[in-house]
Amino acid sequence: MALELAKPVAERFLHFINKTGSPYHSVQAVKEILKNADFVELNERTKWEISCGGKYFVTRNDSCIAAFVVGESFGRGNTGGFCVTATHTDSPCLRLRPNAFAEKEGYHMNELSRVSPVSAIVRRRGELCLCNETQGSVECYGGGLWHTWFDRGLGMAGKVALRVGDKVEERLLRISKPLFYVPNLAIHLKTAEEIGAFKINKEQHLQPILCSAIAEQLSQGNEDEKQETKDAAQRLPPALERLVRQTIELPGAKLLDWDFCLMDATPSRLSGIHSEFIESPRLDNLASTFAAFEALVEAKQSKSDILMAVAFDHEEVGSESLSGANSNILETWMRRSLRALECEDDFYEILAKSFIVSSDMAHAVHPNYSDKHQSLHKPAMHKASFG
């Protein structure tokens, strides 16, 4: 019976997390929850109009979000405090570098005699090209289990900045199709020592393959199309740049910049004989983020407190950013809400009556590695306290 009650919540969570892939998409998914519950969006660049009993949310950089519900009788002489649950929107991942274009083990040449006879060759416009791969240059964001990124299809999600006419616009982009692949080295090419101890050089071994040079050249066709003038250093792989342009459906726009995260292209799902487990990336910390904002939506309204949920960005790399927890963003939003309620003079008294819960993921005891936990303090599965 308990599993049947939990399953609808789990399915809502799967629907939520399958729309994410970057902090920007995490915030977008949270905004959908809030808008469906009639929360009103506030803008940091305009004056806030807030009233008792109201429900509001605000974002920064599209990657950090806070929502709050004002007590029905909150005001001078009847102020409680802020009741805050804090989470984060980012997760460990591979991120495309600013200069993300790399070719490896490939040569462009004009003389057939200089090409190995065992190499695959494509002739295009009088040019000979070895069959090589185009790679995306990535960096490790946060502290991840990087060996789990090998041998699986990787999609991409993030934000792009575009010049459209005389304006600069930002658009979110999510491609769930497997675009990238980080292949393992074949066992026949590994020494016994390498097989026994899987070690990763993050700068060398985690660079994903995007496409082969042959497929890329064939996809271009044989027409002598007029090519746009490129920068001295091609920043995105040409095939990926074309896909980005096609996806955003603004062919005349100039791509200025981007922030892309790679993500597991396999959708999250329930597993186990009773469907009691969730298989998903980004559980740290979108599970807590989903729970915090769902709880805020469903919570009974307080009389004199302000109930709040906030999800920061850049927790995985130290929170030292404009949208991170170590900035003044939460205090700023608190002060602005109190100013709109004409209670800012009572800020420190209200703060003394407030509390904040930092909600992040915990690791349940692993049955195959139970010796990693202190014997009397093992975080047990399906229990709210240590067992």
Side-chain angles (χ1 to χ4, degrees):
M1 183 63 180
L3 283 176
E4 291 303 316
L5 292 174
K7 192 171 182 180
V9 179
E11 289 175 343
R12 289 205 308 274
F13 173 67
L14 292 177
H15 179 71
F16 168 84
I17 203 165
N18 280 330
K19 293 185 289 186
T20 66
S22 73
Y24 311 111
H25 290 83
S26 302
V27 167
Q28 186 181 53
V30 170
K31 286 174 67 173
E32 288 183 20
I33 293 174
L34 298 173
K35 287 182 177 180
N36 288 337
D38 298 323
F39 279 67
V40 176
E41 184 169 8
L42 302 172
N43 189 327
E44 283 199 296
R45 298 184 178 184
T46 60
K47 185 178 180 180
W48 289 8
E49 300 290 342
I50 295 175
S51 59
C52 293
K55 302 184 294 185
Y56 308 92
F57 72 91
V58 59
T59 66
R60 180 177 290 181
N61 192 42
D62 295 327
S63 64
C64 173
I65 185 168
F68 56 95
V69 180
V70 184
E72 294 176 346
S73 57
F74 187 93
R76 285 190 175 276
N78 190 34
T79 56
F82 287 94
C83 305
V84 186
T85 302
T87 70
H88 60 92
T89 60
D90 61 324
S91 301
C93 68
L94 300 178
R95 286 181 109 126
L96 283 187
R97 287 179 167 135
N99 291 318
F101 181 35
E103 281 190 338
K104 201 168 185 180
E105 301 299 337
Y107 308 87
H108 290 267
M109 53 194 68
N110 295 316
E111 295 180 16
L112 182 60
S113 61
R114 294 171 61 188
V115 180
S116 168
V118 298
S119 300
I121 303 171
V122 169
R123 180 180 295 276
R124 182 170 178 264
R125 299 176 188 166
E127 179 182 69
L128 293 174
C129 177
L130 286 177
C131 178
N132 62 292
E133 287 82 29
T134 295
Q135 292 185 289
S137 181
V138 299
E139 62 183 1
C140 294
Y141 176 87
L145 286 174
W146 302 119
H147 65 275
T148 65
W149 288 75
F150 283 80
D151 299 326
R152 66 175 66 211
L154 302 174
M156 184 179 78
K159 181 197 284 190
V160 294
L162 308 156
R163 184 178 296 281
V164 183
D166 59 352
K167 296 181 179 180
V168 174
E169 297 183 8
E170 293 181 342
R171 299 286 181 92
L172 298 192
L173 180 143
R174 185 180 190 275
I175 302 173
S176 57
K177 172 186 175 181
L179 300 175
F180 295 91
Y181 192 78
V182 183
N184 226 316
L185 181 64
I187 191 171
H188 312 84
L189 301 178
K190 290 186 177 183
T191 65
E193 182 181 356
E194 289 172 330
I195 294 172
F198 184 55
K199 296 180 180 179
I200 301 171
N201 181 324
K202 292 186 286 188
E203 290 295 314
Q204 178 182 356
H205 301 145
L206 278 170
Q207 303 308 311
I209 290 174
L210 176 64
C211 63
S212 69
I214 284 183
E216 168 63 5
Q217 291 191 6
L218 291 176
S219 71
Q220 293 293 303
N222 295 317
E223 297 181 5
D224 291 326
E225 300 174 350
K226 184 178 180 180
Q227 300 293 319
E228 294 182 6
T229 302
K230 299 293 182 182
D231 295 335
Q234 175 71 49
R235 295 181 61 211
L236 269 185
L240 186 58
E241 184 173 341
R242 290 197 307 274
L243 181 59
V244 168
R245 292 180 182 278
Q246 293 168 7
T247 304
I248 60 178
E249 298 180 343
L250 286 173
K254 182 179 180 181
L255 184 61
L256 300 177
D257 213 341
W258 63 84
D259 183 13
F260 289 142
C261 303
L262 302 194
M263 63 179 189
D264 189 349
T266 304
S268 302
R269 61 193 177 189
L270 299 178
S271 66
I273 195 168
H274 302 294
S275 298
E276 72 268 43
F277 300 113
I278 292 175
E279 293 181 11
S280 176
R282 302 184 294 281
L283 291 174
D284 177 11
N285 188 30
L286 294 190
S288 297
T289 298
F290 173 80
F293 286 90
E294 281 269 313
L296 180 66
V297 167
E298 297 177 8
K300 182 179 178 181
Q301 192 167 40
S302 171
K303 292 287 186 181
S304 58
D305 292 316
I306 295 179
L307 308 182
M308 176 181 280
V310 58
F312 298 104
D313 194 8
H314 300 126
E315 188 273 349
E316 298 291 348
V317 290
S319 300
E320 301 278 351
S321 72
L322 192 65
S323 51
N326 209 27
S327 69
N328 66 348
I329 186 171
L330 182 57
E331 180 182 345
T332 298
W333 287 344
M334 286 178 168
R335 285 185 177 276
R336 290 201 64 177
S337 62
L338 293 179
R339 181 183 301 172
L341 292 165
E342 300 181 349
C343 296
E344 189 180 11
D345 290 344
D346 301 328
F347 175 72
Y348 291 106
E349 290 83 354
I350 293 171
L351 204 62
K353 293 182 279 186
S354 302
F355 71 89
I356 184 168
V357 174
S358 178
S359 179
D360 210 337
M361 294 299 291
H363 303 279
V365 61
H366 194 308
N368 299 339
Y369 301 90
S370 59
D371 58 332
K372 293 290 185 179
H373 299 271
Q374 205 278 335
S375 60
L376 298 179
H377 299 85
K378 296 179 180 179
M381 183 72 77
H382 300 310
K383 292 186 179 180
S385 60
F386 292 105

